[in-house]
């Protein structure tokens, strides 16, 4: 991509030769990835697109603040920063955590003290008013929700976080924009350029053909994938409004405010159909249009210059449409992500991408990169399967299905990492593979129904308190909402007043956290889990939340409890908090947990026990987890063959003599064992 003519042109764009060298060297390094991926998608349109992207990237490079340029250089010297064992994430809604962005900034001591190095603030870019899918219906990517603050507040918060070694993570919704977004408003007004930003059809012929193979994301309240809009008729041949003056070279063209009146309608009023995968007010973008790609490069670099270090690529699996498929995980998705990453690497190499792709293992690995894309797509992906299997195993007290599911994952690129979590802001969908289930003699459908019954409180003897979300009578699928503490039995135990049940619930929670903290990626703590917060049933009293019971597990932060919890070690919240802090300290001190190393299941002689092995250059680490409320005795030779005759438990600094006949694990006990050969 970098030829002599281009090199000469670049020199004229810089006043400082060092900046010119920096940009040119990065373009040399990542330019081929950018251009080849774009050519695979856009073909002959690529040269013109590359020219436009160079202008966008040069402008962003010149505008990048000095402290962020220094961070870029630091990250280039330590490219494994996301893989370090001291990397612990925290996920929160800014308003429910501290009211405003400035309020979040007032609680940085709390996050630092907990050991947080990565803060994901849930959608905070300006959404549409009213119903907005929890903030994922974005009306303006360059402004912040007015109740949270301003983009200047966002920049100030990012700077404060950087000063404490905490990376700011934001959602970037790629698949769709809000009905009220300027692009959608101008499309409805008949502007051909912006109609091409969306998938618009004059009648139901093509939408009907697509629907044959498309699933429904929200069958309860948003059935189907297309919405009729009366303003989307045939574009008339009336003269278009005069274009605004083109910006001068190096200036930023600002999007028109969403509230500005759109141009006069230029359609015949017959109406049309627009693709709306998630909700009628979220219009899917047409990524086959290179203009959409250029817009998002500009948006990413704008937000990166505001201090965003990690972008959670929301709904990334859905961005490419192909007739006759489910329109997810198409090859073009990975080409486009690789190209976006290359553009970001040229301007802001401190930035990382996290793929929000809740898909099967054989599809998920492509979001981290395979073959010529190996390690060049996203830097991180959610290990949703681990979360699902944790809850599945907790209910069944049988680890065999979990072992099969983990074995199904192909090795990830060593420069990438997983994001693991006990719970998140979303519901739990029971992504249990029929093939995995069959290999352990279980019916996949039957097990999914069991889990829905168990975690909704319907199964006899269950400890869980959850709510059914999005029941699909056609398939029988029932997803589940609920906080980690309520699903793990703490709510029921506290109501019963039984201290034994309370102790078991606390142990369950700490076991789940031990697995996610020990798996070897970035463990993501959802706000309030460190305090064992219970279901918040008051969500039903708010009209904007009542239709969506996922708000039951999005309680407001209890700052009174947070202030008191470390002095209340005997309470359930105190025990969970102290135990979690101990796990985080142990993780940071254990180099074997570097995320370049994979955790892989090894055979266990007892189905209640999960064993994960990590082969680090310092030696073998074996993690042993008891997923039952019973004491389990293992023959010591099972551990000895991995670790030698002596092993140390990194969670308790205990030494185990493995020459003896057996080793006993109490209820929900976790061991992180490092052998003597280390």
């Amino acid at each position: 991509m970098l030829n002599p003519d281009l090199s000469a042109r670049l020199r004229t764009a810089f006043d400082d030769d060092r900046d010119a060298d920096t940009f040119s060297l990065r373009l040399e390094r990542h330019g081929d990835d950018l251009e080849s991926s774009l050519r695979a998608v856009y073909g002959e349109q690529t040269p013109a697109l590359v020219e436009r992207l160079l202008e966008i990237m040069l402008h962003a490079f010149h505008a990048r603040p000095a402290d962020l340029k220094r961070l870029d250089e630091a990250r280039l010297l330590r490219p494994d920063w996301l893989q370090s064992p001291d990397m612990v994430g925290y996920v929160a809604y800014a308003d429910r955590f501290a009211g405003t962005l400035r309020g979040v900034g007032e609680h940085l001591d709390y996050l630092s003290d907990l050991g947080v190095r990565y803060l994901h603030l849930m959608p905070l870019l300006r959404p549409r008013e009213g119903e907005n899918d929890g903030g994922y219906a974005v009306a303006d990517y360059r402004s912040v929700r007015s109740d949270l603050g301003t983009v200047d507040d966002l920049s100030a918060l990012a700077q404060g976080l950087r000063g404490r070694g905490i990376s700011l993570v934001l959602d970037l919704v790629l698949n769709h924009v809000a009905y009220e977004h300027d692009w959608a408003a101008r499309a409805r007004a008949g502007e051909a350029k912006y109609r091409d930003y969306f998938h618009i059809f004059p009648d139901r012929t093509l939408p009907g053909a697509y629907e044959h193979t498309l699933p429904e994301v929200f069958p309860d309240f948003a059935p189907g994938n297309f919405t009729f809009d009366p303003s989307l008729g045939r574009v008339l041949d009336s003269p278009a409004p005069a274009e605004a003056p083109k910006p001068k070279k190096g200036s930023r063209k600002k999007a028109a405010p969403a509230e500005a009146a759109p141009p006069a309608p230029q359609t015949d009023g017959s109406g049309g159909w627009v693709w709306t995968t998630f909700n009628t007010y979220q219009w899917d973008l047409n990524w086959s249009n290179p203009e959409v790609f250029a817009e998002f490069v500009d948006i990413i670099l704008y937000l990166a210059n505001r201090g965003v270090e990690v972008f959670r690529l929301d709904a990334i699996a859905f961005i490419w449409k192909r007739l006759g498929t489910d329109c997810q995980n198409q090859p073009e998705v990975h080409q486009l992500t690789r190209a976006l990453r290359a553009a970001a690497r040229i301007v802001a190499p401190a930035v990382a991408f996290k793929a929000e792709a809740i898909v099967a293992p054989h599809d998920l690995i492509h979001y981290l990169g395979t073959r010529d894309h190996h390690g060049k797509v996203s830097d991180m992906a959610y290990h949703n399967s681990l979360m699902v299997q944790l809850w599945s195993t907790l209910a069944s007290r049988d680890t065999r299905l979990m072992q099969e599911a983990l074995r199904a994952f192909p090795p990830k690129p060593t420069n990438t990492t997983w994001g693991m979590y006990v719970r998140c802001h979303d519901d739990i969908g029971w992504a249990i593979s029929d093939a995995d289930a069959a290999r352990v003699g279980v019916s996949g459908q039957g097990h999914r129904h069991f889990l829905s019954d168990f975690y909704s409180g319907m199964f006899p003897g269950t400890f869980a308190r959850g709510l059914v979300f999005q029941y699909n009578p056609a398939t029988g699928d029932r997803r589940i909402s609920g906080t980690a503490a309520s699903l793990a039995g703490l709510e029921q135990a506290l109501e019963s007043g039984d201290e034994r049940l309370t102790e078991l619930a606390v142990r369950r929670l700490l076991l789940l956290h031990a697995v996610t903290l020990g798996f070897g990626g970035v463990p993501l703590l959802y706000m309030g889990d460190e305090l064992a917060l219970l279901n918040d049933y008051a969500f039903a009293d708010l009209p904007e939340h009542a239709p969506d019971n996922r708000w039951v597990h999005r309680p407001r932060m209890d700052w009174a409890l947070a202030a008191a919890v470390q002095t209340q070690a005997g309470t359930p919240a105190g025990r969970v908090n102290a135990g979690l802090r101990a796990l985080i300290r142990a993780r940071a001190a254990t180099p074997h947990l570097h995320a370049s190393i994979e955790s892989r299941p090894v055979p266990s002689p007892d189905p209640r026990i999960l064993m994960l092995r990590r082969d680090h250059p310092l030696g073998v680490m074996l993690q042993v987890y008891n997923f039952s409320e019973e004491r389990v005795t293992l023959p010591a030779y099972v551990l000895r063959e991995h670790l030698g005759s002596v092993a140390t438990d990194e969670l308790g600094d205990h030494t185990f003599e493995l020459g003896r006949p057996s080793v006993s694990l109490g209820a929900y006990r976790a061991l992180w064992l490092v052998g003597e050969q280390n």
Side-chain angles (χ1 to χ4, degrees), residues 48-248:
L49 176 57
V50 168
E51 284 293 318
R52 182 172 175 200
L53 293 176
L54 278 173
E55 290 295 320
I56 292 170
M57 291 188 294
L58 282 167
H59 173 84
F61 184 87
H62 285 305
R64 191 152 174 81
D67 64 328
L68 289 173
K69 286 186 174 181
R70 186 182 186 283
L71 183 64
D72 291 333
E73 298 304 318
R75 292 276 164 81
L76 289 171
L77 291 172
R78 191 183 176 188
D80 65 341
W81 63 279
L82 261 181
Q83 298 181 299
S84 174
D86 66 353
M87 183 61 65
V88 173
Y90 192 86
V91 184
Y93 286 90
D95 57 336
R96 302 185 87 72
F97 181 68
T100 65
L101 294 176
R102 291 186 181 184
V104 174
E106 294 170 0
H107 292 287
L108 300 189
D109 285 344
Y110 175 81
L111 295 172
S112 292
D113 185 57
L114 188 59
V116 171
R117 297 283 313 283
Y118 163 120
L119 176 62
H120 176 194
L121 293 178
M122 298 295 289
L124 53 76
L125 301 178
R126 187 169 70 81
R128 72 190 297 267
E129 294 295 326
E131 192 178 357
N132 55 42
D133 190 23
Y136 290 101
V138 178
D140 185 358
Y141 289 93
R142 298 176 191 272
S143 66
V144 170
R145 275 174 42 188
S146 59
D147 61 314
L148 297 179
T150 67
V151 287
D152 289 336
D153 292 330
L154 182 67
S155 296
L157 175 60
Q159 189 172 40
L161 289 166
R162 279 199 304 281
R164 294 169 179 267
I166 302 174
S167 297
L168 177 62
V169 186
L170 284 194
D171 295 87
L172 185 71
V173 184
L174 295 176
N175 180 67
H176 47 263
V177 296
Y179 175 90
E180 290 78 7
H181 193 285
D182 181 59
W183 301 340
R186 297 177 77 168
R188 289 192 299 277
E191 289 191 55
K193 173 182 175 178
Y194 291 100
R195 287 173 67 91
D196 288 344
Y197 277 34
F198 302 97
H199 301 273
I200 295 172
F201 307 91
D203 55 43
R204 281 288 300 181
T205 304
L206 266 177
Y210 277 107
E211 287 281 21
H212 284 304
T213 54
L214 291 178
E216 292 179 320
V217 177
F218 296 133
D220 278 5
F221 49 73
N225 289 273
F226 298 87
T227 299
F228 180 78
D229 191 292
S231 66
L232 290 176
R234 184 176 61 87
V235 179
L236 300 177
D237 294 328
S238 56
E243 284 190 327
K246 291 185 178 179
K248 294 179 181 178

Side-chain angles (χ1 to χ4, degrees), residues 235-285:
V235 179
L236 300 177
D237 294 328
S238 56
E243 284 190 327
K246 291 185 178 179
K248 294 179 181 178
K249 184 177 179 181
S251 68
R252 179 173 298 283
K253 181 181 177 183
K254 294 183 178 179
E259 20 328 318
Q266 301 174 57
T267 62
D268 64 5
S270 61
W273 293 85
V274 63
W275 203 312
T276 55
T277 296
F278 290 86
N279 287 286
T280 59
Y281 53 78
Q282 290 166 298
W283 283 23
D284 285 33
L285 290 160

Side-chain angles (χ1 to χ4, degrees), residues 217-219 427-430 467-470 477-481:
V217 177
F218 296 133
D427 56 278
I428 303 177
W430 300 118
L467 303 178
V468 171
F469 177 74
Q470 293 292 315
D477 288 343
R478 290 167 293 159
R479 287 134 69 178
I480 295 294
S481 298

Side-chain angles (χ1 to χ4, degrees), residues 297-521:
V297 169
D298 201 24
I299 288 166
I300 288 169
L301 297 180
Y302 170 79
L303 292 171
N305 282 354
R306 288 289 187 173
V308 179
E309 296 182 32
V310 181
F311 288 93
R312 175 185 177 274
L313 305 180
D314 183 72
I316 182 69
F318 295 83
I319 66 174
W320 194 266
K321 320 299 186 186
R322 176 167 281 115
L323 189 63
T325 72
D326 62 1
C327 295
Q328 296 182 44
N329 309 308
Q330 298 301 303
E332 290 83 356
V333 170
H334 313 303
Q335 297 282 7
L336 290 166
T337 310
R338 181 192 186 198
L340 288 172
R341 181 181 183 271
R345 282 290 195 273
I346 292 166
V347 176
V351 164
F353 284 174
K354 174 174 61 174
E356 189 265 332
I358 310 304
V359 298
H362 64 275
D363 290 319
L364 182 58
I365 195 64
H366 296 290
Y367 290 86
L368 297 174
T370 59
R371 301 176 67 85
D372 61 329
H373 289 184
H374 187 83
K376 295 182 178 181
V377 186
S378 294
D379 305 279
M380 181 176 173
Y382 284 114
H383 203 310
N384 178 68
S385 181
L386 180 66
M387 183 272 294
V388 170
Q389 293 298 334
L390 284 172
W391 292 104
S392 168
T393 306
L394 206 63
S396 68
R397 286 80 161 177
D398 190 324
T399 69
R400 288 175 295 180
L401 179 55
M402 186 176 192
Q403 292 178 52
E404 284 300 318
L406 293 179
R407 285 194 191 100
F409 276 79
K412 65 173 182 57
T414 56
N415 65 327
T416 64
T417 189
W418 294 117
M420 302 88 51
Y421 48 101
V422 171
R423 285 295 292 114
C424 68
H425 74 289
D426 221 339
D427 56 278
I428 303 177
W430 300 118
I432 303 294
S433 159
D434 288 341
D436 290 343
R439 281 195 292 273
V440 296
V442 173
S443 160
Q445 184 179 42
H447 191 64
R448 290 188 292 271
H449 287 181
F450 157 68
L451 293 173
S452 295
D453 284 348
F454 191 94
Y455 285 106
S456 62
M458 296 171 58
F459 192 82
T462 181
F463 49 71
R465 291 283 177 84
L467 303 178
V468 171
F469 177 74
Q470 293 292 315
Y471 171 54
N472 187 336
T475 62
D477 288 343
R478 290 167 293 159
R479 287 134 69 178
I480 295 294
S481 298
T483 67
S486 288
L487 294 180
L490 186 57
E491 182 177 332
Q492 182 195 75
L494 292 176
E495 287 180 2
S496 73
D498 188 323
E499 176 56 31
R500 177 181 170 277
L501 295 181
T502 300
E503 176 61 24
L504 289 175
V506 167
R507 290 190 182 189
R508 287 187 200 104
L509 285 169
L510 292 176
L511 176 74
L512 297 176
H513 286 300
V515 179
T516 57
L517 284 157
F519 197 75

Side-chain angles (χ1 to χ4, degrees), residues 510 513 517 573-585 651:
L510 292 176
H513 286 300
L517 284 157
R575 280 179 273 171
V576 169
N577 190 266
L580 183 54
R581 287 172 181 272
L583 286 167
I584 291 171
R585 288 193 298 271
L651 292 180

Side-chain angles (χ1 to χ4, degrees), residues 2-3 63 127 141 164 186 207 229 257 349 408 423 438 466 486 494 536-537 567 606 610 633 675:
L2 194 62
N3 55 55
Y141 289 93
R164 294 169 179 267
R186 297 177 77 168
D229 191 292
R423 285 295 292 114
S486 288
L494 292 176
D536 178 16
Y537 298 105
T567 62
D606 190 300
L610 176 71
T633 299

